[in-house]
């Protein structure tokens, strides 16, 4: 029977695994079809259905295509003509807007191109420079979202007369953030660019060997010319490396006059990026030409939890409170007209977080670009109107034309997007509380669209302090002591916080009167039997001082656990636990070493009467100091205190009530002066 049962079990297991494998939801992918139409190729997306977000507009896709030859497109169904024969890997990145699902993963698809008409071939490998083209441009195909891949397009162009060679640098992962935002995936080059060394690479001029560049220059003149080159490229690299922890470098050559090229870089957004959602982050591109020409561009992106085109972002998610006064925070409100027609009036209403000064608002940038409205704008004037209410900012685009994404004839979705970027100054009365801002967006007379919250919180920071004071024993003033110590706590906290303290220099002195006192005592307890009764016998080894003397003690104390709360700027309360270790030194005119036995003797009534017998073993009349370090005393205490003064930062007076748990006397008071920086 065992074999049939085992066979049935295996069959059931295989069946269960098969069913489970059939029910696993595959990762969505961005598939597409390619159709040849004459000398052009038509690309059409094949994408999974989207998941609507309740209450949000209907979801849709944004498209980004790479055709494998250095060209790209943002159209939904682009047509592309290859200018040379070969094998090209085309890819599609689709970004779901108002979609709570994951963006489909790109899947390359190879296209074989042959028999292309010769008149299509260009005399330059890249593309012609467009009017008002820049030497370097950097753009992202979508904003980063934790766990997703983004693509950066670096476009570099030759706007000069001569053939160009040089380097392209990409810097990412800002040092001001604790966790890296991106990991490098791949770079797709199409013009012979070669990747350089690691992040410490410098720029070493290496000039083209074209004969016409150096005609008539002898070796000495050439060397002198090289030595006279400015050191600016290396300085630019070092400046960027102080802000970014990661770098990639590519070397290019033979960039012709009027030619531009595209280099594509894929970065994987890390899951840790979620902690900085709605923050404005940057990456930086640097162009270094061998002729000394340089260009730098900084690309801003907003970290999104979902690809909602209507959002608000802030330049700093976490800032230091110690140096925050007088600084600005940048906010950026993005919006997109998803209607079937253009919008002429767009109103953005944003909250002003407490502690920020709305009166010092600065408009940094906007799109559609228009002038700031005068006090009494004309009826047909296109402008941005800014008004300030109690805790709100209202930006109104008047008499503009922002096309709708569903409008007939609109193929470029970027033309349907806009933004306002502004800065607010952090006021002097800012308190160390997290704060956030949300925006409301109204297109013409449509219902308002509410954005996410852009939140900022303060780094804890650390405040080092000093304490000096006096411990006062009300019933035994001989135990009074002075102390000095250090404290460590968060900088200027407004919530309950923990503080640690250490006091390495607590000292005290107590005088003993003439008549003798015990310096040292160790005890051994045994039992004996007298008259049929079991009795305890205690033997003490003693060092007994004779005559007057004094005790000096030094205590190391620490407060490993203390909870404090500043009621306001002038009063603070605290409770905690303190541990102390004490070493003692005694000085006496003479001392005796002996043994004292405590025993129980039976009297006439049969009761046990305690008796002592002291046996002197040695005696010294010379004054001597005796160190009781081998009898180190440990003490544990609990306390509560109150402080008055500049309790967040600065001097304050405090009084502390201390209850000792293991030593006598149990209770004492501490008065102290503290100072936090």
């Amino acid at each position: 029977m065992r074999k049939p049962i085992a066979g049935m079990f295996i069959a059931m297991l295989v069946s269960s695994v098969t069913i489970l494998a059939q029910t696993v939801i595959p990762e969505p992918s961005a598939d597409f079809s390619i159709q040849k139409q004459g000398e052009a190729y038509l690309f059409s997306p094949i994408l999974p259905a989207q998941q609507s977000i309740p209450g949000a507009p209907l979801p849709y896709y944004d498209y980004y295509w790479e055709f494998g030859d250095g060209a790209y497109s943002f159209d939904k169904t682009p047509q592309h003509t290859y200018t040379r024969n070969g094998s090209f890997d085309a890819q599609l990145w689709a970004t779901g807007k108002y979609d709570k699902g994951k963006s489909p993963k790109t899947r390359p698809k190879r296209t074989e191109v042959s028999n292309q008409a010769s008149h299509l071939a260009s005399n330059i490998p890249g593309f012609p420079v467009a009017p008002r083209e820049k030497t370097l441009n950097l753009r992202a195909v979508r904003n980063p979202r934790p766990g997703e891949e983004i693509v950066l397009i670096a476009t570099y162009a030759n706007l000069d007369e001569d053939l160009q060679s040089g380097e392209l640098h990409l810097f990412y992962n800002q040092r001001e953030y604790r966790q890296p935002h991106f990991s490098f995936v791949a770079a797709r080059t199409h013009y012979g660019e070669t990747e350089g060394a690691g992040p410490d690479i410098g720029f070493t001029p290496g000039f083209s060997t074209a004969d016409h560049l150096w005609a008539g220059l002898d070796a000495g003149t050439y060397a002198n010319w090289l030595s006279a080159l400015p050191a600016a490229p290396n300085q630019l690299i070092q400046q960027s490396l102080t802000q970014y922890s990661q770098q990639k470098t590519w070397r290019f050559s033979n960039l012709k006059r009027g030619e531009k090229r595209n280099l594509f870089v894929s970065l994987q957004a890390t899951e840790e990026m979620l902690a900085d959602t709605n923050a404005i982050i940057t990456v930086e591109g640097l162009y270094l030409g061998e002729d000394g020409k340089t260009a730098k561009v900084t690309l801003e992106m907003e970290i999104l939890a979902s690809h909602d085109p209507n959002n608000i972002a802030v330049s700093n998610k976490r800032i230091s409170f110690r140096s925050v006064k007088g600084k600005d925070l940048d906010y950026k409100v993005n919006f997109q007209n998803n209607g079937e027609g253009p919008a002429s009036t767009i109103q953005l209403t944003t909250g002003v977080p407490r502690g920020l000064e709305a009166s010092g608002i600065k408009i940094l940038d906007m799109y559609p670009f228009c002038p700031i409205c005068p006090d009494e704008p004309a009826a047909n004037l296109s402008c941005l109107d800014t008004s300030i209410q109690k805790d709100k900012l209202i930006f109104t685009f008047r008499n503009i034309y922002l096309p709708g994404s569903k409008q007939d004839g609109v193929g470029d979705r970027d033309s349907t997007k806009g933004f306002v970027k502004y800065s607010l100054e952090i006021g002097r009365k800012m308190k160390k509380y997290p704060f956030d801002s949300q925006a409301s967006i109204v297109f013409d007379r449509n219902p308002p669209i509410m954005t996410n919250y852009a939140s900022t919180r303060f780094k804890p920071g650390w405040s080092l302090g000093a304490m000096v004071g006096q411990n006062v024993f009300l019933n035994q003033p001989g135990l009074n002591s002075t102390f000095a110590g250090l404290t460590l706590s968060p900088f200027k906290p407004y919530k309950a916080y923990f503080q640690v303290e250490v006091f390495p220099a607590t000292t005290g002195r107590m005088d003993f009167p003439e008549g003798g006192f015990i310096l040292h005592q160790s005890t051994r307890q045994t039992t004996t039997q007298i008259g049929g009764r079991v009795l305890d016998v205690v033997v003490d080894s003693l060092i007994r001082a004779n005559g007057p003397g004094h005790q000096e003690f030094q205590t190391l104390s620490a407060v490993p656990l203390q909870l404090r709360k500043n009621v306001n700027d002038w009063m603070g309360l605290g409770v905690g636990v303190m541990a102390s270790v004490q070493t003692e030194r005694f000085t006496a005119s003479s001392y005796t070493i002996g043994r004292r036995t405590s025993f129980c003797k039976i009297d006439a009534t049969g009761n046990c009467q305690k008796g002592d017998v002291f046996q002197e073993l040695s005696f010294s009349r010379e004054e001597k100091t005796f160190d009781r370090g081998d009898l180190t005393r440990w003490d544990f205490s609990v306390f509560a205190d109150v402080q008055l003064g500049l309790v967040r930062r600065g001097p304050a007076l405090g009084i502390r009530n201390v209850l000792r748990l293991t030593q006598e006397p149990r209770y004492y008071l501490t008065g102290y002066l503290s100072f936090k920086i």
Side-chain angles (χ1 to χ4, degrees):
M1 288 296 291
R2 290 183 179 179
K3 290 185 178 179
I5 293 176
M8 292 175 60
F9 177 77
I10 294 174
M12 292 174 62
L13 181 61
V14 171
S15 177
S16 300
V17 172
T18 302
I19 294 174
L20 181 62
Q22 292 174 349
T23 57
V24 171
I25 300 175
E27 185 177 15
S29 61
D31 196 8
F32 55 93
S33 63
I34 307 174
Q35 294 180 337
K36 195 172 189 307
Q37 297 182 345
E39 293 181 335
Y41 289 82
L42 177 65
F43 295 81
S44 301
I46 304 173
L47 299 172
Q50 294 183 273
Q51 303 178 40
S52 299
I53 300 175
L58 292 176
Y60 62 89
Y61 280 113
D62 272 353
Y63 305 89
Y64 165 69
W65 301 83
E66 286 183 21
F67 301 115
D69 62 345
Y72 64 90
S73 174
F74 290 96
D75 294 337
K76 180 179 180 180
T77 54
Q79 278 191 339
H80 180 64
T81 302
Y82 291 93
T83 60
R84 61 185 186 275
N85 297 328
S87 298
F88 303 96
D89 290 330
Q91 298 186 69
L92 166 64
W93 282 263
T95 303
K97 299 297 182 73
Y98 301 111
D99 187 349
K100 64 181 180 181
K102 288 185 176 181
S103 295
K105 192 173 182 63
T106 182
R107 293 285 186 267
K109 186 172 288 188
R110 177 153 294 187
T111 305
E112 300 291 341
V113 178
S114 59
N115 300 322
Q116 202 67 321
S118 60
H119 71 272
L120 292 177
S122 173
N123 64 341
I124 57 175
F127 303 94
V129 172
R132 292 181 293 183
E133 194 82 52
K134 297 180 180 179
T135 300
L136 179 64
N137 188 44
L138 192 63
R139 70 179 296 180
V141 303
R142 61 189 177 200
N143 278 315
R145 183 182 179 187
E148 285 189 354
E149 178 184 321
I150 70 165
V151 177
L152 303 179
I153 306 173
T155 301
Y156 60 103
N158 183 359
L159 308 182
D160 299 328
E161 297 290 333
D162 298 322
L163 201 67
Q164 293 289 334
S165 296
E167 290 179 353
L168 295 176
H169 296 257
L170 176 67
F171 303 91
Y172 57 99
N173 287 336
Q174 293 165 271
R175 294 184 184 274
E176 63 182 276
Y177 292 93
R178 292 183 298 177
Q179 299 290 339
H181 288 144
F182 300 107
S183 61
F184 180 78
V185 177
R188 292 172 293 283
T189 60
H190 302 282
Y191 310 100
E193 298 99 338
T194 57
E195 186 171 343
D200 292 329
I201 186 173
F203 177 72
T204 302
F207 295 90
S208 171
T209 56
D211 292 338
H212 70 277
L213 288 178
W214 309 113
L217 290 183
D218 57 33
T221 305
Y222 178 71
N224 292 335
W225 192 89
L226 285 180
S227 64
L229 282 177
N234 272 321
Q235 294 174 2
L236 290 173
I237 293 174
Q238 294 304 319
Q239 289 172 5
S240 297
L241 286 175
T242 61
Q243 302 177 42
Y244 300 90
S245 61
Q246 300 293 319
Q247 178 205 33
K248 288 291 181 179
T249 304
W250 296 269
R251 181 159 187 83
F252 67 90
S253 60
N254 299 323
L255 183 65
K256 296 182 179 180
R257 176 189 177 187
E259 177 190 0
K260 70 176 181 181
R261 299 173 179 175
N262 299 315
L263 185 147
F264 308 100
V265 179
S266 288
L267 300 177
Q268 182 71 27
T270 64
E271 295 293 346
E272 291 79 10
M273 181 185 283
L274 185 63
D276 298 316
T277 302
N278 304 319
I280 299 174
I281 62 173
T282 61
V283 296
E284 195 168 87
L286 182 61
Y287 172 101
L288 301 178
E290 288 182 339
D291 63 348
K293 185 177 182 61
T294 63
K296 179 186 286 190
V297 59
T298 301
L299 173 65
E300 288 186 349
M301 298 179 288
E302 296 87 40
I303 299 175
L304 304 179
S306 62
H307 290 292
D308 186 344
N310 301 296
N311 64 81
I312 183 172
V314 65
S315 57
N316 293 90
K317 293 285 289 183
R318 298 176 74 249
I319 56 178
S320 171
F321 194 68
R322 185 177 290 273
S323 58
V324 76
K325 301 300 173 61
K327 293 190 175 180
D328 293 345
L329 280 179
D330 297 344
Y331 288 88
K332 187 177 182 182
V333 181
N334 299 286
F335 53 88
Q336 183 175 26
N337 179 12
N338 290 311
E340 297 179 352
S344 61
T345 302
I346 302 173
Q347 186 177 86
L348 314 175
T349 303
T350 67
V352 178
R354 57 183 177 180
L356 299 187
E357 299 290 346
S359 58
I361 183 175
K362 301 174 186 175
I363 306 298
L364 304 178
D365 200 1
M366 71 186 82
Y367 185 84
F369 183 80
C370 54
I372 303 297
C373 293
D375 293 338
E376 296 182 4
N380 60 349
L381 178 65
S382 297
C383 59
L384 176 66
D385 189 7
T386 302
S387 62
I388 303 174
Q389 294 185 359
K390 180 180 179 182
D391 56 354
K392 295 179 180 178
L393 296 172
I394 301 176
F395 306 95
T396 306
F397 287 91
R398 302 187 184 279
N399 302 313
I400 64 167
Y401 185 92
L402 187 70
S405 60
K406 300 177 183 177
Q407 184 176 332
D408 291 341
V410 176
D412 182 10
R413 283 193 175 272
D414 284 348
S415 65
T416 68
K417 300 175 182 178
F419 68 88
V420 170
K421 186 177 180 181
Y422 61 94
S423 68
L424 296 175
E425 184 178 342
I426 298 177
R428 292 185 176 181
K429 296 184 179 180
M430 167 65 76
K431 296 183 177 181
K432 199 176 180 182
Y433 291 116
F435 55 90
D436 53 43
S437 182
Q438 187 184 34
S440 168
I441 305 172
V442 177
F443 295 92
D444 292 329
R445 299 182 181 275
N446 292 293
I449 299 173
M450 303 305 297
T451 70
N452 56 289
Y453 285 94
S455 301
T456 299
R457 59 191 178 94
F458 292 104
K459 300 175 183 178
W462 296 109
S463 180
L464 186 65
M467 289 178 64
V468 292
Q470 178 84 16
N471 296 321
V472 179
F473 290 81
L474 299 178
N475 297 326
Q476 296 189 30
L479 294 177
N480 294 351
S481 60
T482 59
F483 66 87
L486 299 174
T487 68
L488 184 65
S489 60
F491 178 73
K492 294 189 72 171
Y494 278 78
K495 294 183 178 181
Y497 64 97
F498 290 102
Q499 177 171 296
V500 295
E501 302 170 0
V502 60
F503 307 104
T506 301
T507 60
R509 174 187 170 112
M510 183 168 60
D511 294 324
F512 292 94
E514 189 166 349
F517 55 92
I518 295 175
L519 292 177
H520 171 79
Q521 176 177 334
S522 62
T523 301
R524 179 171 58 87
Q525 182 171 332
T526 61
T527 59
T528 186
Q529 195 170 24
I530 300 176
R533 300 179 62 181
V534 177
L535 305 175
D536 292 330
V537 178
V538 179
V539 179
D540 294 332
S541 295
L542 300 178
I543 299 177
R544 185 170 62 184
N546 302 310
H550 63 269
Q551 174 192 20
E552 295 175 342
F553 56 87
Q554 212 164 21
T555 306
L556 171 64
S557 301
V559 178
L561 181 62
Q562 179 182 183
L563 180 65
R564 301 200 63 83
K565 177 72 170 69
N566 294 329
V567 179
N568 50 43
D569 291 341
W570 306 99
M571 182 178 180
L573 303 175
V575 294
V577 177
M578 181 165 58
S580 303
V581 57
Q582 179 175 293
T583 58
E584 302 169 338
R585 297 179 70 88
F586 292 86
T587 301
S589 60
S590 63
Y591 63 93
T592 301
I593 299 177
R595 180 173 60 195
R596 180 180 65 186
T597 303
S598 300
F599 61 93
C600 182
K601 63 181 179 179
I602 308 301
D603 60 13
T605 61
N607 296 320
C608 180
Q609 299 293 330
K610 185 177 180 181
D612 290 332
V613 174
F614 180 75
Q615 179 183 5
E616 184 177 297
L617 300 180
S618 65
F619 179 76
S620 174
R621 290 191 178 278
E622 63 180 279
E623 185 169 318
K624 187 174 181 180
T625 299
F626 181 80
D627 190 347
R628 288 186 58 175
D630 59 332
L631 289 179
T632 300
R633 291 187 180 184
W634 282 92
D635 185 26
F636 296 94
S637 310
V638 294
F639 64 84
D641 74 3
V642 59
Q643 284 183 339
L644 298 175
L646 300 178
V647 294
R648 302 192 197 279
R649 183 186 185 187
L653 292 172
I655 185 168
R656 179 171 291 179
N657 298 287
V658 183
L659 177 64
R660 302 207 292 183
L661 303 179
T662 56
Q663 295 289 339
E664 295 288 348
R666 295 287 187 180
Y667 174 77
Y668 67 92
L669 293 176
T670 297
Y672 62 89
L673 170 66
S674 68
F675 192 96
K676 292 183 179 180
I677 60 176

